[in-house]
Amino acid sequence: MKKYWHFFKIGFQVSIAYPVSIIFRVLRHATLVTLFVVLWAALLQNKSEIGGFNLSSIVTYYMLVEIIDIIYTQTPARILSRDVQTGDLNNFLTKPINYWKYLLSYTVGQQLANSSLSILAVIGAFILFPNFVSFPKEPLYLFGFFVFSVCAFLISHQILFTVGTLIFHVSEIAHIRQGVNQLMGLLGGRWVPLSFFPPAIAGLLGLMPFSFLFSFPIRVFQQQVSFSQMSTALVVEIAWLGLLLFIGKNTWEMGVKKYEAYGH
């Protein structure tokens, strides 16, 4: 475990070495949250609700979207692609290091450094706009939001790790990585709540792992699910994560075999 803790610290240190980048991230997320408040206040000026959301619930939704989006990153696919293209992957294959654990440790360290101030900025917006946000009345829902957000990060990481393994078969995956990232946002409720879709489509999307990236954690925070539904959803989410881990493990092993066959 010590070596992966070391990778965690490297990821953290690399990120804080560029404080200007962190500051711009904070400003970007703080600006977006402010725009959400202004936009939805204007849209709902003459309406009591839209798509089942009133002003406080829709503003809260998009504030939570920002918090969750802050912790996501394309690092797994980007670093795996870079290591294969530069040949740096050899350094991991010839040493007693699990590459997946290395990527996870490094990514968590990096995101902790990149995201902490941004999340605090969004939480600050919660405090600054108390009339536009709504908090869960039951502490268990707040805890559930945290648990489902952590699981969502793992699902996102695994999806992008699997995308990264495509670099063993194609020359460049930047466009694929970015496309998958946008698709995850669309199907997961990043851009619009899934309840805005027709019921049949919303129901179908709710069965997919993408719904756990944004939609379901936010539904938990907004107390739109029961405790029994949370328990069932956690089992389903863990099952999806297990399946994604299995797929990623197999695509990684197939890719490494091809990589070694070319004599790297």
Side-chain angles (χ1 to χ4, degrees):
M1 284 298 296
K2 283 187 177 180
K3 54 191 173 186
Y4 300 111
W5 172 248
H6 181 65
F7 292 134
F8 168 85
K9 290 193 293 184
I10 291 175
F12 186 88
Q13 291 166 354
V14 167
S15 293
I16 63 174
Y18 302 96
V20 174
S21 176
I22 295 177
I23 291 172
F24 273 108
R25 284 171 62 92
V26 172
L27 292 175
R28 177 169 69 89
H29 289 293
T31 301
L32 284 173
V33 167
T34 303
L35 289 175
F36 289 150
V37 174
V38 174
L39 173 64
W40 286 105
L43 290 174
L44 290 171
Q45 186 175 12
N46 299 315
K47 296 180 180 179
S48 59
E49 64 176 47
I50 182 171
F53 287 85
N54 59 28
L55 180 57
S56 64
S57 61
I58 195 66
V59 169
T60 301
Y61 182 93
Y62 280 103
M63 283 188 175
L64 293 172
V65 159
E66 280 304 299
I67 288 179
I68 296 173
D69 190 54
I70 287 168
I71 69 174
Y72 292 159
T73 174
Q74 297 183 40
T75 296
R78 179 173 52 79
I79 291 184
L80 177 52
S81 174
R82 181 200 66 191
D83 287 346
V84 170
Q85 291 174 326
T86 62
D88 287 345
L89 185 62
N90 297 331
N91 297 326
F92 296 94
L93 298 180
T94 57
K95 295 175 182 177
I97 295 174
N98 182 295
Y99 190 81
W100 184 88
K101 291 180 180 179
Y102 148 71
L103 264 186
L104 180 63
S105 303
Y106 182 90
T107 300
V108 171
Q110 183 186 59
Q111 287 306 100
L112 182 62
N114 285 336
S115 306
S116 298
L117 288 178
S118 295
I119 290 177
L120 288 176
V122 177
I123 293 175
F126 268 80
I127 298 172
L128 288 173
F129 302 109
N131 296 327
F132 294 96
V133 297
S134 54
F135 288 89
K137 297 178 180 179
E138 295 287 341
L140 184 58
Y141 281 100
L142 191 60
F143 176 73
F145 172 74
F146 172 78
V147 171
F148 280 100
S149 295
V150 171
C151 292
F153 169 79
L154 293 174
I155 286 180
S156 170
H157 181 277
Q158 191 56 33
I159 290 173
L160 287 165
F161 173 81
T162 303
V163 170
T165 62
L166 295 176
I167 194 61
F168 291 112
H169 309 284
V170 298
S171 60
E172 180 56 61
I173 65 166
H175 58 293
I176 301 175
R177 169 168 51 87
Q178 293 165 3
V180 169
N181 191 57
Q182 295 301 317
L183 186 65
M184 288 164 56
L186 175 63
L187 302 183
R190 167 69 177 93
W191 308 117
V192 294
L194 296 187
S195 60
F196 281 21
F197 288 93
I201 296 178
L204 179 62
L205 293 177
L207 299 174
M208 302 175 71
F210 307 110
S211 66
F212 292 106
L213 297 179
F214 294 98
S215 179
F216 195 81
I218 297 175
R219 290 183 63 204
V220 170
F221 187 95
Q222 297 187 312
Q223 297 186 194
Q224 296 176 358
V225 296
S226 65
F227 293 149
S228 61
Q229 288 174 320
M230 287 170 59
S231 300
T232 301
L234 185 59
V235 173
V236 173
E237 186 169 16
I238 291 174
W240 271 118
L241 181 58
L243 178 60
L244 290 169
L245 286 167
F246 175 78
I247 294 173
K249 181 176 183 293
N250 280 273
T251 57
W252 162 260
E253 291 177 349
M254 289 189 293
V256 168
K257 288 179 180 178
K258 182 175 182 179
Y259 179 82
E260 292 176 332
Y262 280 112
H264 285 83

